[in-house]
Amino acid sequence: MRLRAITGFFFIIVMVGSVLLGSFVFSLFYLALSAFCLFEFYKLIKQNTAKPNVPIGLLNAVLLFTAFALFNYASFSALPGLSGKHMAFTLLFLLPLTSGAILMLELFKKSTAPFNNIAYTYFGIIFAVVPFIFFHALAFVGGSFNFHIPLAFLIMLWANDTGAYVVGSQIGRVKLFERHSPKKTYEGLIGGIVISAGAALILGHYYQELSWKQWVTIAILISCFGTMGDLVESMFKRSINVKDSGGILPGHGGLLDRFDGLLLAAPIVYAYLYFISN
């Protein structure tokens, strides 16, 4: 428990620092984080399921994340002397070649199930990288870099996790999805929503880009879809018979274990903010 608490403390410091230290640190941090999550995914798959093409998968992930990041920077001219959109389009036009390499290189391997390897290589990018692309875009949804929204997202996600754990462990009775996560309960889900909504009300007092109703709506979306993301990651681990996605965070498991709530919630929250801001 002590090791878990220490790891959690430093984890929060790093996460908050990544948001507060400016747009370029923010982008580089989440580019690296998404690449590590993808590597962790491939490492798990290679244990007993398939043999994804790790180098080409990582290359595609970096190109995809960087291209969309450049689109965000181009929206407020953060790259003096450079055309962010031109650079982004250049990277996107490279993707047919690099993603096609996933298919072509499989021709040279002696594999009994080549399309398993291909499928998991592509799916890893969708599962472990695309959500971080949407989370990164949250900071630019208003047209310029604003750390308030991604920081608020993390705070509400942590509030949901804390509320769900405390309420679920104390009064949880009715199981949510027992075959995927035996400890999750409907009472915990409701507790997470209430605590996250409370955090949203406080955030709305200080971060006035959105109304309090919009912040609470985001909190509810994070709680519901964050829980679904957690369950999906649990389903994934059970399907390959592993307990934790890794051991990089002592007492907490792997990176995918820590960011499972972001997998579905970040794209949904981005879509909500995009439509209400346009």
Side-chain angles (χ1 to χ4, degrees), residues 15-31:
M15 295 302 299
V16 172
S18 71
V19 175
L20 297 179
L21 292 176
S23 60
F24 291 112
V25 172
F26 177 72
S27 298
L28 290 173
F29 179 81
Y30 282 96
L31 170 60

Side-chain angles (χ1 to χ4, degrees), residues 53 56 60 94-107 118 122:
N53 194 317
I56 299 299
N60 278 277
L94 284 174
L95 279 172
L97 176 62
T98 56
S99 63
I102 295 172
L103 296 165
M104 292 183 288
L105 290 175
E106 202 64 34
L107 293 170
I118 292 168
Y122 282 121

Side-chain angles (χ1 to χ4, degrees), residues 187-247:
E187 293 87 350
L189 173 63
I190 295 170
I193 293 173
V194 171
I195 299 300
S196 185
L201 288 172
I202 297 172
L203 288 165
H205 179 73
Y206 295 99
Y207 295 166
Q208 299 184 358
E209 300 91 335
L210 302 172
S211 68
W212 70 267
K213 293 180 181 179
Q214 291 168 336
W215 281 119
V216 171
T217 300
I218 291 173
I220 295 171
L221 291 174
I222 289 173
S223 295
C224 294
F225 288 97
T227 301
M228 290 298 110
D230 190 333
L231 289 167
V232 167
E233 204 250 349
S234 295
M235 180 174 65
F236 163 65
K237 289 188 296 184
R238 285 180 178 274
S239 71
I240 58 174
N241 298 313
V242 298
K243 184 179 184 295
D244 295 319
S245 65

Side-chain angles (χ1 to χ4, degrees), residues 2-23:
R2 182 181 179 184
L3 179 62
R4 181 181 175 86
I6 293 172
T7 304
F9 175 74
F10 284 104
F11 174 78
I12 290 173
I13 290 177
V14 171
M15 295 302 299
V16 172
S18 71
V19 175
L20 297 179
L21 292 176
S23 60

